[in-house]
């Protein structure tokens, strides 16, 4: 093998700041603390797959995009003098908050619903957090966390309620814009439960528009599993406020199984403002979409595959639900430059 020609050190690009703190000046959290806690979260690759771009959000320190929000939330908690954190999660947010709490040296308790995968439970415990498994669904875990916060005075590090989480997730939008050559995408296809990525992306794209970097907001296409789809149901019925649903059967998309999303009205308003829509994906299409990605080298968890299932259906590579006018309308929205985040790692789903 021939030696490569020597490359002058002057050719090295200027050092970039780590993780989401590349955008430190745009994040309303003390950057000095954030940079200290950073583990290089975000700055994920955007690669071509068929005729869309997928953003590899599962390649982040704890294996999901939640690291973007968690680093901002924990940095803000440190700045506010927190001594102990409590979180509730179906898994990935809990893992992310547990990891960054560990990095900050803060004790952390995470409440998860009983359906949370063994891999996610082990991951949370691995970071040294106290894991509390709550009988019932995601809402029961939130209730238990709130009760503990009231009893102990620990800080509620809620990815759903604390606006600092969105200060981190909005960097997803900034990165899309940079990676597309300083242009916004036309549409983004996002799995949605509590809406932390939809709301973060909406905020980021709004800020880019306010800065004159883009002219139009990308259309946000939100996806849920048909087995737990309060937002998709509300969208189809043109209701601004989603009614809680009772999940009849468990979905493999555990990360978005949120029967009563706390910020439901806000999520629907953000989607409406963007010109997008919310759809529900047939449960039977999730596993084939997950397999399709894995066969191309991208091992994601089922929840992440929901977005890919939708992308395949919107481009007619998987059959969309028959006679469903919503899917036909959505296919028209999903044209031009389309970004599909792949949100969580397949190593977590065992
Ligand atoms: C959290 C998560 C989602 C959805 O995020 P919400 O904030 O609940 O809308 C999607 N996919 C994966 C893998 C997640 O961890």
């Amino acid at each position: 093998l021939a030696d490569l020609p020597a490359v002058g050190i002057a050719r090295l690009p200027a050092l970039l700041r780590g993780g989401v703190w590349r955008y430190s000046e745009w994040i309303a959290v003390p950057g000095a603390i954030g940079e200290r806690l950073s583990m290089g979260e975000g700055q994920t690759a955007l690669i071509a797959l068929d005729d869309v771009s997928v953003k590899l959000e599962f390649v982040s320190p704890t294996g999901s995009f939640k690291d973007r929000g968690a680093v901002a939330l924990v940095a803000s908690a440190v700045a506010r003098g927190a001594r102990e954190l409590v979180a509730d999660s179906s898994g990935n947010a809990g893992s992310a908050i547990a990891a960054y709490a560990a990095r900050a040296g803060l004790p952390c308790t995470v409440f998860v619903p009983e359906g949370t995968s063994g891999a996610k439970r082990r991951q949370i415990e691995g970071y040294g957090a106290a894991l509390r498994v709550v009988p019932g669904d995601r809402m029961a875990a939130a209730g238990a966390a709130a009760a503990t916060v009231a009893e102990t005075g620990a800080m509620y590090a809620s990815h759903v309620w604390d606006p600092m989480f969105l200060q981190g997730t909005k960097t997803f939008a900034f990165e899309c814009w940079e990676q597309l050559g300083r242009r916004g995408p036309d549409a983004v296809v996002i799995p949605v439960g509590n809406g932390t990525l939809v709301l973060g992306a909406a905020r980021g794209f709004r800020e880019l528009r306010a800065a004159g970097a883009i002219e139009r907001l990308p259309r946000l296409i939100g996806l849920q599993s048909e087995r737990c789809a309060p937002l998709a149901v509300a969208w189809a019925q043109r209701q601004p406020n989603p009614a809680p649903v009772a999940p009849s059967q468990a979905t493999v998309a555990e990360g978005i199984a949120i029967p009563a999303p706390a910020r439901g009205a806000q999520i629907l308003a953000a989607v409406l403002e963007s010109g997008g829509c919310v759809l529900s994906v047939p449960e039977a299409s999730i596993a084939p979409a997950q397999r399709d990605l894995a066969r191309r080298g991208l091992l994601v968890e089922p929840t992440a595959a929901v977005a890919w299932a939708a992308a395949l259906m919107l481009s007619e590579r998987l059959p969309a639900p028959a006679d469903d006018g919503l899917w036909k309308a959505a296919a028209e929205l999903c044209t031009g430059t389309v970004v599909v985040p792949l949100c969580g790692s397949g190593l977590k789903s065992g």
Side-chain angles (χ1 to χ4, degrees), residues 169-190:
T169 56
K170 75 181 181 185
T171 60
F172 170 84
F174 299 166
E175 288 178 22
C176 288
W177 177 80
E178 283 203 278
Q179 290 169 313
L180 292 170
R182 305 197 154 210
R183 285 190 310 113
D186 294 301
V188 189
V189 178
I190 306 182

mmCIF file of all heavy atoms in Angstrom, residues 169-190:
data_model
loop_
_atom_site.group_PDB
_atom_site.id
_atom_site.type_symbol
_atom_site.label_atom_id
_atom_site.label_comp_id
_atom_site.label_asym_id
_atom_site.label_seq_id
_atom_site.Cartn_x
_atom_site.Cartn_y
_atom_site.Cartn_z
ATOM 1 N N THR A 169 -33.481 19.496 21.312
ATOM 2 C CA THR A 169 -33.970 18.759 20.140
ATOM 3 C C THR A 169 -34.090 19.668 18.915
ATOM 4 O O THR A 169 -34.068 19.190 17.790
ATOM 5 C CB THR A 169 -35.312 18.040 20.409
ATOM 6 O OG1 THR A 169 -36.288 18.978 20.851
ATOM 7 C CG2 THR A 169 -35.153 16.939 21.448
ATOM 8 N N LYS A 170 -34.190 20.972 19.129
ATOM 9 C CA LYS A 170 -34.310 21.855 17.965
ATOM 10 C C LYS A 170 -33.045 21.839 17.094
ATOM 11 O O LYS A 170 -33.096 22.189 15.915
ATOM 12 C CB LYS A 170 -34.638 23.288 18.394
ATOM 13 C CG LYS A 170 -33.477 24.067 18.980
ATOM 14 C CD LYS A 170 -33.907 25.462 19.394
ATOM 15 C CE LYS A 170 -32.728 26.248 19.958
ATOM 16 N NZ LYS A 170 -33.135 27.568 20.477
ATOM 17 N N THR A 171 -31.925 21.397 17.657
ATOM 18 C CA THR A 171 -30.691 21.368 16.860
ATOM 19 C C THR A 171 -30.791 20.370 15.710
ATOM 20 O O THR A 171 -30.013 20.434 14.755
ATOM 21 C CB THR A 171 -29.462 21.025 17.732
ATOM 22 O OG1 THR A 171 -29.651 19.732 18.322
ATOM 23 C CG2 THR A 171 -29.247 22.064 18.815
ATOM 24 N N PHE A 172 -31.764 19.453 15.804
ATOM 25 C CA PHE A 172 -32.030 18.546 14.670
ATOM 26 C C PHE A 172 -32.293 19.378 13.402
ATOM 27 O O PHE A 172 -31.783 19.067 12.319
ATOM 28 C CB PHE A 172 -33.240 17.659 15.014
ATOM 29 C CG PHE A 172 -33.752 16.861 13.850
ATOM 30 C CD1 PHE A 172 -33.170 15.650 13.514
ATOM 31 C CD2 PHE A 172 -34.819 17.330 13.083
ATOM 32 C CE1 PHE A 172 -33.636 14.918 12.423
ATOM 33 C CE2 PHE A 172 -35.283 16.612 11.991
ATOM 34 C CZ PHE A 172 -34.689 15.403 11.666
ATOM 35 N N ALA A 173 -33.076 20.430 13.552
ATOM 36 C CA ALA A 173 -33.423 21.281 12.396
ATOM 37 C C ALA A 173 -32.183 22.013 11.878
ATOM 38 O O ALA A 173 -31.956 22.096 10.668
ATOM 39 C CB ALA A 173 -34.518 22.280 12.791
ATOM 40 N N PHE A 174 -31.388 22.533 12.801
ATOM 41 C CA PHE A 174 -30.190 23.281 12.383
ATOM 42 C C PHE A 174 -29.256 22.376 11.570
ATOM 43 O O PHE A 174 -28.684 22.787 10.567
ATOM 44 C CB PHE A 174 -29.427 23.820 13.606
ATOM 45 C CG PHE A 174 -30.214 24.782 14.466
ATOM 46 C CD1 PHE A 174 -29.760 25.113 15.742
ATOM 47 C CD2 PHE A 174 -31.390 25.370 14.011
ATOM 48 C CE1 PHE A 174 -30.466 26.000 16.545
ATOM 49 C CE2 PHE A 174 -32.103 26.252 14.818
ATOM 50 C CZ PHE A 174 -31.636 26.569 16.090
ATOM 51 N N GLU A 175 -29.114 21.121 12.048
ATOM 52 C CA GLU A 175 -28.221 20.194 11.347
ATOM 53 C C GLU A 175 -28.753 19.840 9.965
ATOM 54 O O GLU A 175 -27.994 19.778 8.992
ATOM 55 C CB GLU A 175 -28.016 18.925 12.176
ATOM 56 C CG GLU A 175 -27.146 19.167 13.393
ATOM 57 C CD GLU A 175 -26.980 17.920 14.242
ATOM 58 O OE1 GLU A 175 -27.161 16.795 13.724
ATOM 59 O OE2 GLU A 175 -26.678 18.070 15.440
ATOM 60 N N CYS A 176 -30.064 19.596 9.864
ATOM 61 C CA CYS A 176 -30.645 19.303 8.536
ATOM 62 C C CYS A 176 -30.293 20.432 7.582
ATOM 63 O O CYS A 176 -29.860 20.206 6.454
ATOM 64 C CB CYS A 176 -32.168 19.178 8.616
ATOM 65 S SG CYS A 176 -32.756 17.684 9.420
ATOM 66 N N TRP A 177 -30.473 21.642 8.042
ATOM 67 C CA TRP A 177 -30.235 22.820 7.203
ATOM 68 C C TRP A 177 -28.768 22.883 6.759
ATOM 69 O O TRP A 177 -28.473 23.095 5.574
ATOM 70 C CB TRP A 177 -30.620 24.071 7.998
ATOM 71 C CG TRP A 177 -30.367 25.356 7.284
ATOM 72 C CD1 TRP A 177 -31.148 25.922 6.317
ATOM 73 C CD2 TRP A 177 -29.255 26.237 7.498
ATOM 74 N NE1 TRP A 177 -30.591 27.100 5.908
ATOM 75 C CE2 TRP A 177 -29.427 27.332 6.606
ATOM 76 C CE3 TRP A 177 -28.137 26.233 8.332
ATOM 77 C CZ2 TRP A 177 -28.525 28.399 6.541
ATOM 78 C CZ3 TRP A 177 -27.243 27.288 8.267
ATOM 79 C CH2 TRP A 177 -27.441 28.351 7.382
ATOM 80 N N GLU A 178 -27.858 22.668 7.685
ATOM 81 C CA GLU A 178 -26.434 22.698 7.312
ATOM 82 C C GLU A 178 -26.085 21.569 6.353
ATOM 83 O O GLU A 178 -25.377 21.764 5.363
ATOM 84 C CB GLU A 178 -25.551 22.575 8.565
ATOM 85 C CG GLU A 178 -25.445 23.854 9.359
ATOM 86 C CD GLU A 178 -24.186 23.876 10.213
ATOM 87 O OE1 GLU A 178 -24.204 23.275 11.310
ATOM 88 O OE2 GLU A 178 -23.191 24.474 9.784
ATOM 89 N N GLN A 179 -26.596 20.355 6.662
ATOM 90 C CA GLN A 179 -26.202 19.185 5.869
ATOM 91 C C GLN A 179 -26.804 19.185 4.469
ATOM 92 O O GLN A 179 -26.273 18.555 3.569
ATOM 93 C CB GLN A 179 -26.587 17.904 6.621
ATOM 94 C CG GLN A 179 -25.720 17.684 7.850
ATOM 95 C CD GLN A 179 -26.253 16.582 8.744
ATOM 96 O OE1 GLN A 179 -27.433 16.542 9.056
ATOM 97 N NE2 GLN A 179 -25.386 15.668 9.154
ATOM 98 N N LEU A 180 -27.914 19.876 4.312
ATOM 99 C CA LEU A 180 -28.525 19.966 2.977
ATOM 100 C C LEU A 180 -27.929 21.132 2.188
ATOM 101 O O LEU A 180 -28.484 21.552 1.178
ATOM 102 C CB LEU A 180 -30.046 20.121 3.099
ATOM 103 C CG LEU A 180 -30.785 18.889 3.658
ATOM 104 C CD1 LEU A 180 -32.244 19.230 3.965
ATOM 105 C CD2 LEU A 180 -30.712 17.718 2.688
ATOM 106 N N GLY A 181 -26.815 21.661 2.663
ATOM 107 C CA GLY A 181 -26.171 22.752 1.945
ATOM 108 C C GLY A 181 -26.855 24.083 2.235
ATOM 109 O O GLY A 181 -27.075 24.887 1.336
ATOM 110 N N ARG A 182 -27.196 24.283 3.504
ATOM 111 C CA ARG A 182 -27.838 25.528 3.931
ATOM 112 C C ARG A 182 -29.175 25.737 3.242
ATOM 113 O O ARG A 182 -29.493 26.826 2.757
ATOM 114 C CB ARG A 182 -26.893 26.719 3.725
ATOM 115 C CG ARG A 182 -25.570 26.486 4.439
ATOM 116 C CD ARG A 182 -24.781 27.741 4.605
ATOM 117 N NE ARG A 182 -23.920 27.590 5.767
ATOM 118 C CZ ARG A 182 -23.529 28.592 6.541
ATOM 119 N NH1 ARG A 182 -23.916 29.810 6.290
ATOM 120 N NH2 ARG A 182 -22.757 28.366 7.579
ATOM 121 N N ARG A 183 -29.931 24.664 3.204
ATOM 122 C CA ARG A 183 -31.302 24.715 2.699
ATOM 123 C C ARG A 183 -32.164 23.901 3.649
ATOM 124 O O ARG A 183 -31.695 22.921 4.231
ATOM 125 C CB ARG A 183 -31.401 24.060 1.316
ATOM 126 C CG ARG A 183 -30.849 24.889 0.163
ATOM 127 C CD ARG A 183 -31.215 24.245 -1.176
ATOM 128 N NE ARG A 183 -30.891 22.825 -1.203
ATOM 129 C CZ ARG A 183 -31.795 21.840 -1.263
ATOM 130 N NH1 ARG A 183 -33.083 22.101 -1.324
ATOM 131 N NH2 ARG A 183 -31.417 20.572 -1.275
ATOM 132 N N GLY A 184 -33.426 24.261 3.758
ATOM 133 C CA GLY A 184 -34.331 23.450 4.571
ATOM 134 C C GLY A 184 -34.848 22.293 3.737
ATOM 135 O O GLY A 184 -34.904 22.376 2.517
ATOM 136 N N PRO A 185 -35.231 21.175 4.402
ATOM 137 C CA PRO A 185 -35.933 20.125 3.658
ATOM 138 C C PRO A 185 -37.334 20.609 3.280
ATOM 139 O O PRO A 185 -37.804 21.613 3.814
ATOM 140 C CB PRO A 185 -36.014 18.968 4.655
ATOM 141 C CG PRO A 185 -35.770 19.552 6.003
ATOM 142 C CD PRO A 185 -35.053 20.857 5.822
ATOM 143 N N ASP A 186 -37.995 19.904 2.356
ATOM 144 C CA ASP A 186 -39.396 20.219 2.051
ATOM 145 C C ASP A 186 -40.342 19.513 3.019
ATOM 146 O O ASP A 186 -41.413 20.019 3.317
ATOM 147 C CB ASP A 186 -39.724 19.807 0.606
ATOM 148 C CG ASP A 186 -38.943 20.645 -0.387
ATOM 149 O OD1 ASP A 186 -39.104 21.878 -0.360
ATOM 150 O OD2 ASP A 186 -38.138 20.078 -1.161
ATOM 151 N N ALA A 187 -39.936 18.337 3.470
ATOM 152 C CA ALA A 187 -40.782 17.589 4.408
ATOM 153 C C ALA A 187 -39.893 16.764 5.336
ATOM 154 O O ALA A 187 -38.793 16.360 4.960
ATOM 155 C CB ALA A 187 -41.734 16.660 3.642
ATOM 156 N N VAL A 188 -40.386 16.555 6.561
ATOM 157 C CA VAL A 188 -39.695 15.700 7.530
ATOM 158 C C VAL A 188 -40.721 14.704 8.062
ATOM 159 O O VAL A 188 -41.826 15.095 8.453
ATOM 160 C CB VAL A 188 -39.092 16.521 8.698
ATOM 161 C CG1 VAL A 188 -38.202 15.634 9.560
ATOM 162 C CG2 VAL A 188 -38.288 17.707 8.186
ATOM 163 N N VAL A 189 -40.352 13.435 8.054
ATOM 164 C CA VAL A 189 -41.258 12.342 8.436
ATOM 165 C C VAL A 189 -40.843 11.845 9.818
ATOM 166 O O VAL A 189 -39.773 11.244 9.960
ATOM 167 C CB VAL A 189 -41.175 11.206 7.389
ATOM 168 C CG1 VAL A 189 -42.067 10.042 7.772
ATOM 169 C CG2 VAL A 189 -41.553 11.733 5.996
ATOM 170 N N ILE A 190 -41.654 12.106 10.846
ATOM 171 C CA ILE A 190 -41.195 11.932 12.233
ATOM 172 C C ILE A 190 -42.177 11.081 13.051
ATOM 173 O O ILE A 190 -43.368 11.396 13.103
ATOM 174 C CB ILE A 190 -41.086 13.313 12.944
ATOM 175 C CG1 ILE A 190 -40.210 14.286 12.144
ATOM 176 C CG2 ILE A 190 -40.547 13.162 14.354
ATOM 177 C CD1 ILE A 190 -40.044 15.647 12.827
#
